[in-house]
Amino acid sequence: VTALDVAGIVLDVEGTTSSVAFVYEVLFPYARTHLASFLQRHWDDDEVARARNQMARDAGAASFAQWCVPCAPHEQQSFLQFEALQLMDCDAKITGLKELQGLIWRDGYAGGALRSHVYDDVPRALHRWHEQGLYVRIYSSGSVTAQKLFFAHTVHGDLSPYLCGHYDTTTGAKRDPASYARIAADMKLAPARLAFLSDVAEEVEAARIAGWQTLLVLRPGNLAVRPGHGHREIHDFDSVVSL
Ligand SMILES: [Mg+2]
């Protein structure tokens, strides 16, 4: 049993609430597999037009129309498809591509084809912490929009009612103690009344430096953690009790 005397708990996602493999084995392949059919169905949507113009700007062109100047109109979709696949091949973290992937995932979640992974102990813990009146929020490198989609469509159903806030890297880097100071200020809680749970030792260390309580999460499939980090370790959330 790991006791926490806190008013709020902030959770990392990949490797903490959810398997790292889900992102690489389900989410990214889904965007790739459904790219062509998604573009066919949604080519004229405003959001898709915005995403392809952003991809053109990411590539240094003024607009999609200019980027794709050599294409005949009927070739525009296959041009974008080819460019997007190239970027996916090198796992590019580029704004326009991320926008497009986000739209494909939203479509998949909405249609029920996509369900995000959370470990079985997560909904139990969220429910328990909620009953105890704790504030639970997410801090992940995935965008806030992506986080909300993720928790609204999990294998255990919609978990968003248990979450009262989300932070992404627009709040700051996860290895920077200043990010945790900002989150504590935003939650209007003293750092000592907050706990951060993550699978990455450098992230929980940054939270500790900011005065937070910390738990290092060891899930199956996570990278091995170097010993001597000095943080309490947990294998699931069932053992975490709030005082
Ligand atoms: Mg993580």
Side-chain angles (χ1 to χ4, degrees), residues 12-16 20 174 198-200 203:
D12 166 62
V13 179
E14 278 181 49
T16 300
V20 176
K174 294 182 76 187
S198 170
D199 60 314
V200 176
E203 294 177 5

Side-chain angles (χ1 to χ4, degrees), residues 2-227:
T2 306
L4 281 179
D5 183 13
V6 293
I9 293 179
V10 176
L11 301 168
D12 166 62
V13 179
E14 278 181 49
T16 300
T17 63
S18 308
S19 76
V20 176
F22 172 76
V23 176
Y24 292 97
E25 290 171 13
V26 179
L27 223 40
F28 284 112
Y30 185 91
R32 169 183 293 274
T33 312
H34 293 79
L35 174 66
S37 67
F38 175 82
L39 290 178
Q40 248 156 42
R41 283 180 289 121
H42 297 284
W43 184 257
D44 294 321
D45 292 6
D46 288 347
E47 291 168 313
V48 175
R50 267 201 297 280
R52 64 175 174 264
N53 279 313
Q54 181 60 51
M55 286 175 69
R57 286 194 296 276
D58 295 339
S63 67
F64 180 72
Q66 285 202 9
W67 190 28
C68 169
V69 151
C71 312
H74 72 277
E75 292 171 332
Q76 288 189 353
Q77 269 181 46
S78 44
F79 173 85
L80 186 69
Q81 204 178 310
F82 176 80
E83 293 293 332
L85 286 172
Q86 295 260 57
L87 292 170
M88 288 176 182
D89 281 342
C90 53
D91 195 22
K93 308 285 186 210
I94 292 171
T95 313
L97 178 69
K98 278 169 108 180
E99 279 181 35
L100 184 62
Q101 285 171 322
L103 294 173
I104 298 171
W105 291 329
R106 192 181 66 188
D107 195 56
Y109 283 126
L114 209 48
R115 287 275 171 268
S116 49
H117 172 261
V118 293
Y119 288 106
D120 293 345
D121 51 281
V122 172
R124 284 198 291 271
L126 290 177
H127 182 75
R128 196 169 66 243
W129 295 335
H130 187 77
E131 296 279 285
Q132 291 170 324
L134 298 183
Y135 299 103
V136 181
R137 298 192 179 191
I138 301 294
Y139 180 29
S140 161
S141 52
S143 70
V144 167
T145 311
Q147 293 175 27
K148 287 180 176 169
L149 274 175
F150 188 99
F151 284 101
H153 304 91
T154 80
V155 287
H156 291 285
D158 181 4
L159 299 179
S160 43
Y162 297 114
L163 303 170
C164 63
H166 295 263
Y167 304 95
D168 59 21
T169 49
T170 60
T171 296
K174 294 182 76 187
R175 300 180 184 204
D176 182 357
S179 305
Y180 300 87
R182 278 184 214 113
I183 292 171
D186 189 62
M187 292 181 75
K188 299 183 174 60
L189 290 170
R193 300 288 292 145
L194 284 164
F196 183 56
L197 279 61
S198 170
D199 60 314
V200 176
E202 289 82 358
E203 294 177 5
V204 288
E205 182 58 20
R208 191 192 61 77
I209 291 169
W212 290 47
Q213 300 187 43
T214 55
L215 295 177
L216 190 67
V217 183
L218 311 179
R219 294 288 194 178
N222 284 5
L223 292 175
V225 170
R226 195 188 299 271

